[in-house]
Each structure stands twice: as structure tokens, then as C-alpha cells.
Amino acid sequence: SLKATKIDRTNYKFTAAATGKNGAALKHFVFDFGDGKTKTQVSNVVEHEFSKPGTYTVKVTANFLVDGERKDVTNKNCEVKVVVEKEQTFACEKLEFAKISRTKFKFTPTASAANGATITRYSYDFGDGKTTNSATNAPVEHTYAQPGTYTVKLSVDATVNGATQTKTSENCKVTITVEEEKVPVTTCVSLEATKISRTKFDFTAKATAENAEIVNYTYNFGDGATVTDDSTVSHEYAQPGTYTATVTVNFRVNGQIVS
């Protein structure tokens, strides 16, 4: 008979059993591993490593000395099939980032697993002393407290053949820069009125913005009417009189609207 015992994914131990009758003397065993390799030895126990995945039929032949002659003996009980599975693999493929604001960033991981390996955790080191873990590949966000340049690293844990392994790669590292906060300087420079007719006027506002963005202008025409529009608007008054028109400039500063 022949018995196979799995040692690991590619290694097996084979144990043969043979007996001689009527004076036949067992001399040696010939193991054929089904992968083109054979081994002849006296011991009935042998270990073999298969180099490729696949299904192999392993056979053993017992060699006896019978009445002065050598005789090879085998049968179906001296055959066994073994399966060498594909290697379980996984990889940390890349880490990408997107800037949300001056201090806030979104990080998106990419990892892969094959042949039964299972990714169990994504671990992030944001380079500022802060870390976080995630069980999925959903993007994570992080806000930095101080300006500077940071190297963000991703590592991936996976279950491989029942054990936990960790991998990273150069593609799973990114460098981000948190800029110094810029002080906005905003100024409403002037508001000019141009008479179009007895009751109708054009109003032109001028403003400047440094480290900020002009969004629009809110006009108060002094007669109870207001409008938010571009830098030039027209307005027609319903009644004679003296009116004081004003304008408020609306700016976007660090993502917020201020006036």
C-alpha cells in the first residue's frame, strides 16, 4: 500500500508498505511521483516537493529477491493521488490621494488577493504620528493639524494558508504637502453710479481679493430693494428722492463665504 501525508502546500510524505511471502526478500522501493521525478531507496518513507500546482498520481513499486531473481511488484493499492494547490498570494498595489481642503486629504487603497488568500485589514500611517485601520478598501480621510510634508504609508494584512501575513510596497507610499494658511486680504474699493435715465441707474462695484475669491456682490439701493449679482447691475427707482446705495462684497475664504 501507499499512504500520502501533506506537510505543506507543495511537500508530501509518502509511506509504503510491502511484505514478502515464501522466502521473498524485500530489497528496495521505487517511488514515481508523477511529475517526472522518481526515487529508489531501501526506506519505505520518502518526502517529495512538487514544483508546480496540479494533481499527481504517485506510485510505488516494491522490488523483491525471489529464488535468486529480482521481481518488481505493484498494484492499485500502491497508487495515491495528491493535489498541489495554487499558491495563495496577495499584494499592496497602490495608494492614491485627493486633496479635500488645505489640511484634509482622502486616501484610496488598491490591493489584491488570489487563490484563496483573504485581505483582512488596511493599515494607514499618516506620517504625523497618527494611524488608523480599516477592514475594507473604502477610502479614508485624514486632517492634519500642522503644515508640512508627510509620507503616508499603507500596509495590508491577509490570511494566507491560515496564517496572517503583512505586505506593503513602494507604490503604497505617497507624499503630501499641507500648505501654510494664507491670510486673506479683501477690500471693497468703490461703488460708482451711472445715470441712464431719470429713474434708472447702472451701478459698478470694484473689489480686490488676495488669497480669497470674489463670489458676488449684494446691492442695497436705498429704496428697500436689494439684489445679489455681478459687479455691474441696473436699478430703476419708482419714486423721486435722494437714495444712498451700498454694496457688500461676498468672498470665499478657506472654503467659507464671508462678506
Side-chain angles (χ1 to χ4, degrees), residues 142-171:
H142 183 65
T143 301
Y144 290 88
Q146 300 293 333
T149 299
Y150 301 93
T151 298
V152 184
K153 301 175 183 178
L154 168 69
S155 62
V156 178
D157 289 357
T159 301
V160 179
N161 296 320
T164 298
Q165 295 183 13
T166 302
K167 285 187 179 181
T168 187
S169 69
E170 286 300 314
N171 290 335

Side-chain angles (χ1 to χ4, degrees), residues 1 16-21 23-31 39-44 59-75 78:
S1 65
T19 56
K21 295 181 180 180
L26 178 62
K27 304 304 290 184
H28 62 251
F29 295 93
V30 180
F31 294 89
K39 190 170 186 179
T40 301
Q41 63 181 44
V42 174
S43 173
N44 69 321
K59 303 176 182 179
V60 65
T61 299
N63 181 264
F64 291 91
L65 180 63
V66 181
D67 296 331
E69 294 183 0
R70 293 295 184 103
K71 184 178 180 180
D72 291 330
V73 179
T74 189
N75 56 46
C78 290

Side-chain angles (χ1 to χ4, degrees), residues 10-251:
T10 58
N11 286 278
Y12 281 80
K13 180 175 75 173
F14 298 96
T15 304
T19 56
K21 295 181 180 180
N22 301 322
L26 178 62
K27 304 304 290 184
H28 62 251
F29 295 93
V30 180
F31 294 89
D32 183 340
F33 300 106
D35 61 352
K37 304 288 182 64
T38 63
K39 190 170 186 179
T40 301
Q41 63 181 44
V42 174
S43 173
N44 69 321
V45 179
V46 66
E47 293 183 4
H48 182 67
E49 182 175 10
F50 295 90
S51 60
K52 296 180 180 180
T55 300
Y56 300 92
T57 299
V58 182
K59 303 176 182 179
V60 65
T61 299
N63 181 264
F64 291 91
L65 180 63
V66 181
D67 296 331
E69 294 183 0
R70 293 295 184 103
K71 184 178 180 180
D72 291 330
V73 179
T74 189
N75 56 46
K76 284 296 181 180
N77 291 332
C78 290
E79 296 182 7
V80 65
K81 289 186 181 294
V82 298
V83 177
V84 178
E85 298 173 346
K86 292 182 178 180
E87 183 178 8
Q88 295 185 355
T89 60
F90 73 104
C92 184
E93 295 183 357
K94 64 180 177 179
L95 178 63
E96 298 174 293
F97 72 92
K99 187 174 183 178
I100 298 174
S101 66
R102 183 181 67 85
T103 59
K104 190 174 184 179
F105 292 78
K106 179 175 74 173
F107 300 94
T108 303
T110 300
S112 61
N115 304 324
T118 303
I119 295 175
T120 56
R121 185 171 67 175
Y122 297 80
S123 299
Y124 301 84
D125 182 339
F126 297 110
D128 61 349
K130 303 292 180 62
T131 62
T132 192
N133 298 320
S134 174
T136 73
N137 63 347
V140 300
E141 297 179 358
H142 183 65
T143 301
Y144 290 88
Q146 300 293 333
T149 299
Y150 301 93
T151 298
V152 184
K153 301 175 183 178
L154 168 69
S155 62
V156 178
D157 289 357
T159 301
V160 179
N161 296 320
T164 298
Q165 295 183 13
T166 302
K167 285 187 179 181
T168 187
S169 69
E170 286 300 314
N171 290 335
C172 287
K173 299 178 184 178
V174 294
T175 300
I176 61 101
T177 299
V178 179
E179 298 175 345
E180 294 277 353
E181 185 174 8
K182 296 178 180 179
V183 178
V185 179
T186 58
T187 305
C188 181
V189 177
S190 64
L191 177 62
E192 298 178 355
T194 302
K195 187 173 183 178
I196 305 300
S197 66
R198 183 181 65 85
T199 59
K200 188 176 183 179
F201 291 79
D202 281 350
F203 294 92
T204 301
K206 294 182 180 180
T208 60
E210 183 179 347
N211 301 324
E213 175 190 358
I214 297 174
V215 178
N216 50 38
Y217 302 78
T218 298
Y219 298 85
N220 185 330
F221 299 108
D223 60 351
T226 62
V227 68
T228 299
D229 209 326
D230 293 331
S231 59
T232 299
V233 297
S234 295
H235 182 66
E236 188 166 359
Y237 290 90
Q239 300 293 333
T242 300
Y243 301 94
T244 300
T246 61
V247 65
T248 300
V249 186
N250 303 308
F251 300 91

